Amino acid sequence: MSWGFLRDLLSGVNKYSTGIGRIWVAVVFIFRLLVYIVAAENIWKHEHDDFECNAKQPGCENVCFDHFFPISHIRLWALQLIMVSTPSLLVVFHVAYRENREKHHSQKLYKSPGKIDGGLLCTYLISLTLKTGFEVVFLVLFYKLYDGFEVPPLVKCDVRPCPNTVDCYISKPTEKMIFLRFLVATSCLCIVLNLSELSYLLLKYSIKCYLKRHPQKHAGSKSDCHDRPAAAAQPHNSSLSLPLHTEEGRCERSSPLT
């Protein structure tokens, strides 16, 4: 299987990500995609051929393998990588839409098409939510389909057409279990990174919106600080501020007393 498209996708998303998002891209590319291509794919390459049962009944071995492994670990892992990386396309498409819109109007409509604000912020938050959801769903699938995150060396099968309960042996169980737990650990790390980035963006733009909606409070507090020294510097002279009432009822300032 060629993974060039996924590599290009991750490199494109990296340009529009935050600092935490770039860490997520590095984890997915190095600790998941490269590990899958270099090591994990070869371990599960001949898993069906290496699955053996101590029964010569035709079809028994195939049925037992399908019973314990309805979906191969490595294929489910590949599907997880694809599904987790796909939501990032939303961000890439939104940035491309902004760039095409500027070309169509022949003017600068955004400070930067790749800056995370406005509609692009919503798209980015949606992609983070989808990525986190897919990670959780696949972890649950791994746990439910294989009855935990372990690979036992021996399983007992009594599914028809097996004549009785037979023993079936899984090849390389320890090595497979190590990679399976590594998969779970990297998935949990990606979930933490996605939640951290989601919280960071929500907090950042919540503070930004608050400052935009209540600029008077901050401006008033600053002006008070600047006005106090000026008021203290003026001499207090009661003779300069004596009010006089005219016949028309207006209040005027008297001239300095001599």
Side-chain angles (χ1 to χ4, degrees):
M1 182 182 291
S2 177
W3 292 93
F5 78 98
L6 190 58
R7 179 199 59 204
D8 297 337
L9 170 63
L10 293 176
S11 62
V13 172
N14 193 44
K15 294 186 290 186
Y16 313 118
S17 301
T18 63
I20 302 175
R22 291 187 178 95
I23 297 175
W24 177 86
V25 171
V27 170
V28 171
F29 184 76
I30 298 174
F31 295 105
R32 301 182 74 170
L33 183 58
L34 288 183
V35 168
Y36 176 92
I37 296 172
V38 174
E41 196 171 20
N42 293 326
I43 295 173
W44 274 273
K45 192 172 184 179
H46 304 289
E47 59 175 334
H48 187 261
D49 296 336
D50 297 334
F51 185 82
E52 297 181 354
C53 298
N54 59 357
K56 300 301 181 181
Q57 179 73 22
C60 176
E61 195 170 282
N62 290 333
V63 170
C64 289
F65 181 84
D66 182 70
H67 175 72
F68 289 106
F69 302 101
I71 301 177
S72 172
H73 284 89
I74 201 67
R75 290 182 179 88
L76 191 59
W77 193 352
L79 183 61
Q80 182 184 15
L81 281 173
I82 294 172
M83 295 301 294
V84 165
S85 304
T86 300
S88 300
L89 282 172
L90 296 174
V91 179
V92 176
F93 288 156
H94 199 133
V95 174
Y97 164 75
R98 283 185 166 188
E99 293 174 348
N100 290 333
R101 191 161 177 258
E102 286 189 341
K103 290 180 181 178
H104 179 72
H105 290 83
S106 301
Q107 59 180 340
K108 193 73 173 175
L109 301 176
Y110 309 96
K111 292 181 180 179
S112 174
K115 186 179 180 181
I116 303 176
D117 57 0
L120 185 58
L121 172 63
C122 296
T123 304
Y124 201 94
L125 294 177
I126 291 172
S127 70
L128 287 175
T129 305
L130 290 176
K131 287 189 287 187
T132 306
F134 284 136
E135 293 281 14
V136 174
V137 168
F138 275 95
L139 284 179
V140 173
L141 276 177
F142 269 101
Y143 187 84
K144 293 291 185 182
L145 288 175
Y146 308 116
D147 196 21
F149 300 116
E150 294 187 359
V151 181
L154 172 67
V155 292
K156 294 186 177 294
C157 178
D158 57 356
V159 184
R160 296 183 64 183
C162 297
N164 49 32
T165 302
V166 298
D167 296 333
C168 296
Y169 301 91
I170 300 173
S171 66
K172 306 175 184 177
T174 304
E175 192 173 15
K176 288 179 179 178
M177 185 174 63
I178 291 172
F179 274 94
L180 183 60
R181 291 184 176 178
F182 181 80
L183 160 69
V184 173
T186 52
S187 295
C188 293
L189 177 59
C190 288
I191 290 173
V192 172
L193 290 173
N194 287 331
L195 292 176
S196 300
E197 188 175 16
L198 189 65
S199 303
Y200 165 75
L201 289 174
L202 288 175
L203 180 62
K204 177 182 177 181
Y205 285 94
S206 296
I207 295 174
K208 188 176 180 180
C209 290
Y210 176 80
L211 294 178
K212 283 184 177 180
R213 291 180 180 180
H214 306 280
Q216 296 85 0
K217 293 182 179 180
H218 301 278
S221 61
K222 290 181 180 180
S223 63
D224 290 343
C225 294
H226 290 295
D227 291 344
R228 285 174 185 173
Q234 293 179 358
H236 182 69
N237 194 341
S238 59
S239 61
L240 296 177
S241 59
L242 293 175
L244 294 176
H245 294 277
T246 62
E247 294 179 356
E248 297 178 356
R250 292 177 298 179
C251 183
E252 297 179 350
R253 299 287 180 181
S254 63
S255 59
L257 299 176
T258 56

